[in-house]
Amino acid sequence: MSTLTLSGSPVKSLVPPGQCQFNAEFQAVPLIERVFVSETSSVLRFGLPDSDKPLNLSTCACILAKADLPTDPSTCAEDKKDATEVVVRPYTPISTNAQTGSFDLLVKHYPNGLMSKHVKTMPVGATLEFKHIDFNVKLQAPFKQKNIGMIVGGTGITPMIQALHAILGDETNDIKVSMLYGSKISGDILGEEMLTKWTANYGDSFSVTHVLSDESESSEWKGERGYITEPLIREKLPSPVLGDDAIIFVCGPPPMYEALCGPRGESEIKGVLADMGYKKNQVYKF
């Protein structure tokens, strides 16, 4: 069922932009299943407008979810505590176009996240609205660079899963991918089982280094601790001297962008990656 999207093999199933079942108008589809994969996250399987076809989302791309939700009472005036607000959030499906009639989202449930709390508790069978617009289309596979580095924080893993399906699922693949994946604690590593399996099966093409910021000092964790830093990037990811044959994908929380490459909305490269010599065409901010 849904957990297979976090434990199955990579599948290359590419379609060009413009064929997604969701368009510029929001459409309601039902929640089919929810499977909790950690204490703070779950995989949600939603239906599609046409149950006989796949989502047909290009790689890489996201969709937008919308719900009319009660306003957080801690952030509004007393006379507005029963008010509602329209909440829209982007999500990147982790399922591929080989899946017909449904798609899967990996969602982390934040205590103060209106949408993430909603999808955590909404009943199976209830509907959520989705749409897809041109702005949601990101860098597209197949990728021309032969050396790809991935800097990931938390749910920033989802577009990387999309990309990895396209790369590792291609039997003719000659791309090398190395990932630095930052999480708070070992129990928070989203998709760990799948990533471990893929590194074991595709070790010549794919490597992952986990970095934990808040892991207990008394735990048995033997991997990297702290944050993703210049020494780790220099050791694990493709060098900027590779020119057009190297690119770094970045996806994570705003502080990660600020420190490593500059805000996501800015095309200019700043921070650690700029200091290391990476150029604008060598960094892609998801």
Side-chain angles (χ1 to χ4, degrees):
M1 291 299 295
S2 298
T3 52
L4 290 179
T5 54
L6 282 179
S7 60
S9 299
V11 176
K12 179 184 177 183
S13 185
L14 302 181
V15 299
Q19 297 188 18
C20 181
Q21 283 209 42
F22 294 117
N23 53 36
E25 300 296 326
F26 279 106
Q27 301 176 74
V29 293
L31 174 64
I32 297 174
E33 183 182 11
R34 179 192 300 107
V35 176
F36 286 94
V37 294
S38 76
E39 293 184 2
T40 60
S41 61
S42 62
V43 172
L44 306 167
R45 176 162 291 179
F46 287 93
L48 285 168
D50 187 338
S51 60
D52 293 325
K53 296 180 180 179
L55 175 59
N56 282 333
L57 186 68
S58 66
T59 302
C60 298
C62 68
I63 56 179
L64 300 174
K66 183 184 80 167
D68 192 12
L69 303 176
T71 302
D72 185 346
S74 67
T75 63
C76 61
E78 187 66 33
D79 61 347
K80 300 260 181 99
K81 294 210 180 277
D82 294 327
T84 62
E85 62 180 287
V86 174
V87 179
V88 178
R89 295 289 185 270
Y91 290 105
T92 302
I94 59 170
S95 50
T96 74
N97 295 311
Q99 182 170 312
T100 301
S102 64
F103 66 96
D104 295 350
L105 301 179
L106 173 61
V107 178
K108 186 167 184 177
H109 304 295
Y110 297 96
N112 297 319
L114 292 180
M115 182 67 80
S116 66
K117 285 194 298 184
H118 175 63
V119 298
K120 180 180 180 180
T121 58
M122 66 181 288
V124 170
T127 62
L128 191 65
E129 294 183 78
F130 292 93
K131 77 174 183 179
H132 176 66
I133 57 177
D134 291 345
F135 181 75
N136 300 145
V137 176
K138 310 302 180 183
L139 188 67
Q140 293 292 285
F143 308 110
K144 64 180 182 179
Q145 297 85 0
K146 298 305 180 184
N147 300 277
I148 297 177
M150 296 179 172
I151 299 178
V152 185
T155 53
I157 190 64
T158 55
M160 307 305 175
I161 290 175
Q162 275 193 350
L164 287 168
H165 272 293
I167 296 167
L168 302 180
D170 183 351
E171 293 182 355
T172 65
N173 168 59
D174 59 355
I175 296 174
K176 306 293 184 184
V177 182
S178 47
M179 177 187 292
L180 289 173
Y181 188 1
S183 305
K184 288 187 175 181
I185 60 175
S186 54
D188 262 353
I189 301 174
L190 303 178
E192 181 180 19
E193 177 186 352
M194 180 195 70
L195 295 173
T196 300
K197 177 180 178 181
W198 288 4
T199 54
N201 293 343
Y202 302 90
D204 292 340
S205 302
F206 179 47
S207 65
V208 180
T209 301
H210 293 287
V211 185
L212 303 183
S213 61
D214 298 342
E215 183 75 359
S216 170
E217 292 296 333
S218 61
S219 80
E220 297 181 358
W221 177 256
K222 294 181 173 57
E224 299 287 343
R225 293 176 180 265
Y227 296 94
I228 296 172
T229 59
E230 179 177 338
L232 273 176
I233 295 171
R234 195 175 301 280
E235 178 186 355
K236 302 292 185 180
L237 302 189
S239 169
V241 301
L242 293 173
D244 291 340
D245 215 22
I247 191 168
I248 307 296
F249 294 166
V250 183
C251 192
M256 173 177 281
Y257 287 103
E258 292 281 353
L260 298 181
C261 61
R264 181 169 56 180
E266 296 182 6
S267 60
E268 183 182 353
I269 306 305
K270 302 177 181 178
V272 171
L273 292 181
D275 294 341
M276 294 178 66
Y278 290 94
K279 306 302 182 184
K280 182 178 177 180
N281 67 326
Q282 293 180 307
V283 178
Y284 188 85
K285 308 175 187 181
F286 280 87

